[in-house]
Amino acid sequence: MSNRIIFFAIVLGWLGGCFVGVYTFLPPIVWVSGGVALVGFFLVRAVPLRALSVVLAAFFIAVALASVVFRVRTPLLPYGQSVRAQAVVVEAPLTFKKTQSAVITTRAFGRPTHLALRVPETETLEVGDEITVEGVLNPLLQFGKEPVRVKSLRTNVWGEFSFGTDVSDQTLEPLSSPMAALRRVRRFAGRQVQTIREPYAGLLGGLLWGDQKAIDPLLYDEFAKAGISHIVALSGYNISILIRALRWLVIPIGLTGYALMSALLVGAFVLFSGASATVVRAALFGGVLLFGELMGRPANSLPALGLVAVGMTLINPALVVDLSWQLSFLATGGLLILGPIFQRPLHERKIPAFFADPLSATLAASAVTLPRIIGTFGRLSFVSPLSNVLILPVVPAAMGLGALAIATAAIPIAGKIFAAIALVPLWWIVFVTEQVLRLPYAFIESSIPEYVWWIILVVLAGVLWIRTKKRAA
């Protein structure tokens, strides 16, 4: 027990130090503070004091590391000068107010460097495209209160080409290139999706490869209000849906076969989605959930979650201030800790698994992410549990049938049959979203500070834990 306390103390101190370090960039003298705390850890024997010492050691070392990482990773770029460079699109372009924003990588400055590219929405850019850009390179613009250097470290994007940048015709990579093959598959899939009418075609693209820009903006806003926007976002929770959909394979092929099939499916999903940093992080958190499934007791994989979090922030400490990373980390932890707690009373009441599992998963993930979501977006959805329970069970069917519809679109009869069948779960997702939002007080705008919601969550979790312990005794 004491070893687990020490381990989680290290994780807590480390993440807290990363958070402070990316904003303060304190001088390396804090290394001394970390070393002193580490010496104290070896000198004391009482578990509480050892935990406090290791928290302080991890905290100060992480604070110092953030400063070092920023200095090492910051490239020297010719800001304000005209630059011509060969580049590859590595992040899916997003469209906002008729502006398309993509992330490209180039070796024009001596090492791989990520830059933002902002061009009119009329430009056709996809992940994997090789392009030539020519324009003035500027530092990243500051939006909101986040400092530019924090944003650069968090996103690994160090400059931007704005309007007026020339983008050449895209050049095809060699036929033997894996990225070229994946790009052709994605483009083929994008064309075949159009055999399904809107808004279902855009929804299917969002489900299969996270193409949020293809979703009707009004529909996406309704998803956010209903609390189901995560189904079209590439997160650890999203990937957990894929893993859980294969659980039935445990009986015919065993746990090892189930783990292998899940790993192959998640790997294919990552590659097909473009293998961006966001997708890779989501896959790692999804792997923690798979490990929990194999362990039989999801809470036993909490150390794996801690190791994954520390490993990610060791490479990039600024991930702790990245919203998508925070939500994936919190949702994964919620599924591991609270999922079984919410699931147990539902199974005791003999509620069918197809209803109990998505309900418990929704409650677990929503409970721990709710304070962060409300604090960021100022919106509280009361219909989120209901909409998730009604929609999540059909998401694997929508993805599977949609993939079959795309694969058989070139076959006249079979393609139309699968496209018609795939419309059923897609229609259900849209229908449920529209209907739940018609309920009174479906969502409200909230101005309550985020810390108040965290206090409420901690109190409720403590009460639930005490009741569970008393029932077990």
Side-chain angles (χ1 to χ4, degrees):
M1 184 64 181
S2 60
N3 290 335
R4 291 177 67 89
I5 293 175
I6 297 299
F7 175 81
F8 289 117
I10 293 174
V11 174
L12 179 64
W14 179 269
L15 296 181
C18 289
F19 186 85
V20 172
V22 297
Y23 281 108
T24 58
F25 293 95
L26 296 176
I29 189 65
V30 293
W31 284 104
V32 178
S33 302
V36 171
L38 196 60
V39 171
F41 167 76
F42 289 104
L43 292 179
V44 298
R45 289 291 176 264
V47 172
L49 292 178
R50 287 172 65 87
L52 177 61
S53 299
V54 80
V55 163
L56 293 175
F59 176 86
F60 286 118
I61 291 174
V63 169
L65 182 68
S67 178
V68 174
V69 169
F70 182 79
R71 290 186 176 89
V72 170
R73 293 180 59 186
T74 303
L76 297 176
L77 300 178
Y79 295 123
Q81 300 180 21
S82 180
V83 174
R84 178 183 173 88
Q86 300 286 334
V88 178
V89 180
V90 294
E91 293 277 351
L94 297 176
T95 302
F96 180 70
K97 292 184 177 180
K98 298 184 178 181
T99 300
Q100 188 175 200
S101 178
V103 176
I104 60 176
T105 184
T106 178
R107 291 180 175 270
F109 309 108
R111 64 179 183 179
T113 305
H114 283 50
L115 304 169
L117 174 63
R118 309 189 195 283
V119 293
E121 63 178 348
T122 53
E123 294 280 358
T124 303
L125 296 174
E126 295 185 18
V127 174
D129 285 344
E130 283 191 349
I131 58 177
T132 300
V133 294
E134 185 172 4
V136 177
L137 179 63
N138 299 306
L140 283 181
L141 295 176
Q142 180 170 346
F143 294 97
K145 299 180 180 179
E146 184 179 36
V148 172
R149 64 180 183 180
V150 175
K151 182 178 180 180
S152 293
L153 184 59
R154 174 176 62 82
T155 61
N156 197 31
V157 176
W158 303 95
E160 67 177 29
F161 289 100
S162 301
F163 272 85
T165 301
D166 292 327
V167 180
S168 71
D169 292 336
Q170 298 142 11
T171 58
L172 290 176
E173 299 160 284
L175 293 178
S176 59
S177 168
M179 286 303 298
L182 285 171
R183 185 179 63 187
R184 286 192 291 273
V185 171
R186 282 195 297 271
R187 284 181 171 172
F188 171 79
R191 290 193 299 269
Q192 303 308 97
V193 161
Q194 300 308 315
T195 59
I196 301 174
R197 69 176 186 269
E198 294 291 354
Y200 309 111
L203 173 57
L204 181 58
L207 289 174
L208 290 178
W209 54 83
D211 187 8
Q212 297 179 12
K213 69 175 184 177
I215 303 174
D216 181 87
L218 294 177
L219 178 61
Y220 188 80
D221 186 59
E222 289 182 345
F223 283 170
K225 292 176 180 177
I228 60 166
S229 57
H230 58 82
I231 68 173
V232 291
L234 297 173
S235 65
Y237 187 32
N238 183 271
I239 287 182
S240 73
I241 296 175
L242 292 176
I243 295 174
R244 291 170 184 270
L246 296 177
R247 190 182 295 173
W248 61 273
L249 290 173
V250 173
I251 296 176
I253 63 177
L255 278 175
T256 303
Y258 164 64
L260 180 61
M261 289 296 297
S262 298
L264 290 175
L265 178 63
V266 171
F269 182 75
V270 168
L271 292 175
F272 189 72
S273 301
S276 66
T278 303
V279 181
V280 173
R281 292 198 299 264
L284 289 173
F285 284 126
V288 173
L289 291 173
L290 176 59
F291 182 69
E293 296 277 352
L294 296 177
M295 293 286 290
R297 295 183 60 188
N300 288 344
S301 60
L302 281 174
L305 176 62
L307 285 175
V308 168
V310 170
M312 290 181 180
T313 52
L314 182 64
I315 299 173
N316 185 2
L319 285 178
V320 294
V321 299
D322 185 88
L323 181 62
S324 66
W325 188 90
Q326 292 173 353
L327 293 179
S328 287
F329 176 73
L330 290 171
T332 304
L335 289 168
L336 294 175
I337 300 173
L338 299 179
I341 296 177
F342 287 126
Q343 195 178 56
R344 191 177 302 113
L346 297 176
H347 285 174
E348 289 175 352
R349 290 170 174 79
K350 302 188 183 303
I351 297 176
F354 72 87
F355 184 85
D357 289 348
L359 177 58
S360 60
T362 299
L363 292 174
S366 300
V368 293
T369 57
L370 188 63
R372 193 72 192 94
I373 291 175
I374 297 176
T376 302
F377 302 107
R379 179 183 291 167
L380 173 61
S381 175
F382 290 109
V383 297
S384 177
L386 175 62
S387 56
N388 276 272
V389 166
L390 295 175
I391 287 174
L392 285 187
V394 305
V395 169
M399 297 175 71
L401 292 172
L404 284 175
I406 292 173
T408 60
I411 305 174
I413 298 178
K416 291 182 179 180
I417 292 175
F418 281 115
I421 297 175
L423 273 177
V424 176
L426 294 172
W427 169 85
W428 175 255
I429 293 173
V430 176
F431 174 76
V432 170
T433 302
E434 294 174 345
Q435 296 306 310
V436 296
L437 290 179
R438 294 180 180 178
L439 298 173
Y441 304 107
F443 68 94
I444 62 171
E445 304 294 334
S446 173
S447 59
I448 300 175
E450 182 179 343
Y451 70 86
V452 174
W453 294 104
W454 281 113
I455 293 173
I456 295 173
L457 174 62
V458 171
V459 171
L460 292 177
V463 171
L464 183 62
W465 181 78
I466 292 173
R467 291 190 61 181
T468 304
K469 286 292 184 181
K470 288 182 177 179
R471 185 176 299 178

